[in-house]
Amino acid sequence: MQQMDGTADTPELEQLYRDFDANNMSPLWTQRDDLMPMTPSPKAIPYVWRWKTLYDIARRSGDLVPVGRGGERRAIGLANPGLPGTAYASPTLWCAIQYLGGHETAPEHRHAQNAFRFVVEGEGVWTVVNGDPVAMRRGDLLLTPGWNFHGHHNDTANPMAWIDGLDVPFSNYTDVGFFEYGSERVTDEASPDVSRAERLWAHPGLRPLSALDDRTSSPLSAYRWEHTDAALREQLALEDEGYPATVEQGHAAIRYSNPTTGGDVMPTLRCEFHRLRAGAETPTRHEVGSSVWQVFEGEGSVVLGGEEHRLETGDIFVVPSWVPWSLHASTSTTFDLFRFNDGPIIDRLSFTRSYVPEEQK
């Protein structure tokens, strides 16, 4: 009896394999390890991008490449070395640094892909989402759900950079993408302190009776840093008082949520914020699905697949599926990090799985 290893040692078997090739067929028994590995075996690799380097390159791009119709955005994708020929951070996530110079305007457009912006430093730019100007400031999460018109304008003479997160790789793989140009500038160049979406939706625990229908994506366009900071601070204060409030000792975390459902802010992207006390560390975790992290403040390190990387403010790293990771705060500062991942996709498809080796001891 022939072994199922693809070995062709008879004329009949050789002909069978030639017929497979001629008819665009591929037998499972020659590729089972590739198609069905014992555990996830991602092609993407763990990788760290340094903010100082990213910002310098973005600044030089700002000097040399104008923003406007055609390219639309001065956004530079972070390309995972394990996914050559793409600008993908992971097979499902796209992350970029976007740079807007003083008094520049990025024209409006819309696309099927879901997007957000997270600001690690600076202010002075407004993103206009469906005609609603939304101020962008340090620590803010700004949403642009799929098929919402959006553009940006800088009201100051100073440049500003931030990160964009999108589900571009997943959308491209599933062939669901659409794109449409909008206004040559933005439909409203006002610069209010508070957007109309916030005035309607940013009241904790309160929902307007004029909008009781559930939304696929959050109608709240901005999640402000002062609220994120307060939530994390109170979790650690409650822990000090002996009450259960943190993920684990010294590790506070929040998930940004859709106020109409309590679920994720968008159907394909999950956003979180994590704070570690000085000297705190997380246990090693394996998770199905990939995530991208950015250091917001403080110093510490991440151990990715057994290799430790020191991190500073702005640094970005990617954790591919099932790659073990753990965070370690320095002994001198708290360690704040923003995270986004493909959790809504993984959960909806019932592929969710995690493993913490310490819990098995």
Side-chain angles (χ1 to χ4, degrees), residues 34-109:
D34 292 330
L35 292 179
M36 299 178 183
M38 301 300 288
T39 62
S41 181
K43 293 181 174 63
I45 65 171
Y47 195 78
V48 178
W49 291 269
R50 302 297 178 183
W51 181 251
K52 290 179 181 177
T53 301
L54 295 177
Y55 190 87
D56 177 67
I57 292 173
R59 177 190 57 78
R60 287 156 50 200
S61 299
D63 293 339
L64 299 171
V65 181
V67 69
R69 274 281 108 99
E72 294 289 297
R73 301 288 187 263
R74 195 184 291 110
I76 307 162
L78 308 186
N80 191 299
L83 303 172
T86 75
Y88 301 164
S90 84
T92 52
L93 304 175
W94 193 79
C95 182
I97 179 172
Q98 185 170 166
Y99 185 93
L100 196 65
H103 298 299
E104 281 190 323
T105 296
E108 290 189 349
H109 63 214

Side-chain angles (χ1 to χ4, degrees), residues 320-334:
S321 185
W322 212 245
V323 169
W325 62 271
S326 61
L327 299 172
H328 305 255
S330 75
T331 56
S332 59
T333 67
T334 56

Side-chain angles (χ1 to χ4, degrees), residues 82-158:
L83 303 172
T86 75
Y88 301 164
S90 84
T92 52
L93 304 175
W94 193 79
C95 182
I97 179 172
Q98 185 170 166
Y99 185 93
L100 196 65
H103 298 299
E104 281 190 323
T105 296
E108 290 189 349
H109 63 214
R110 64 177 177 176
H111 40 70
Q113 295 85 352
N114 294 289
F116 71 81
R117 289 152 240 306
F118 180 74
V119 184
V120 74
E121 61 184 21
E123 60 181 40
V125 170
W126 272 256
T127 183
V128 182
V129 182
N130 282 342
D132 187 8
V134 186
M136 298 175 62
R137 296 186 289 263
R138 178 180 179 272
D140 292 347
L141 170 67
L142 301 311
L143 302 185
T144 310
W147 216 236
N148 281 237
F149 277 113
H150 56 283
H152 319 300
H153 66 95
N154 189 341
D155 268 14
T156 75
N158 300 316

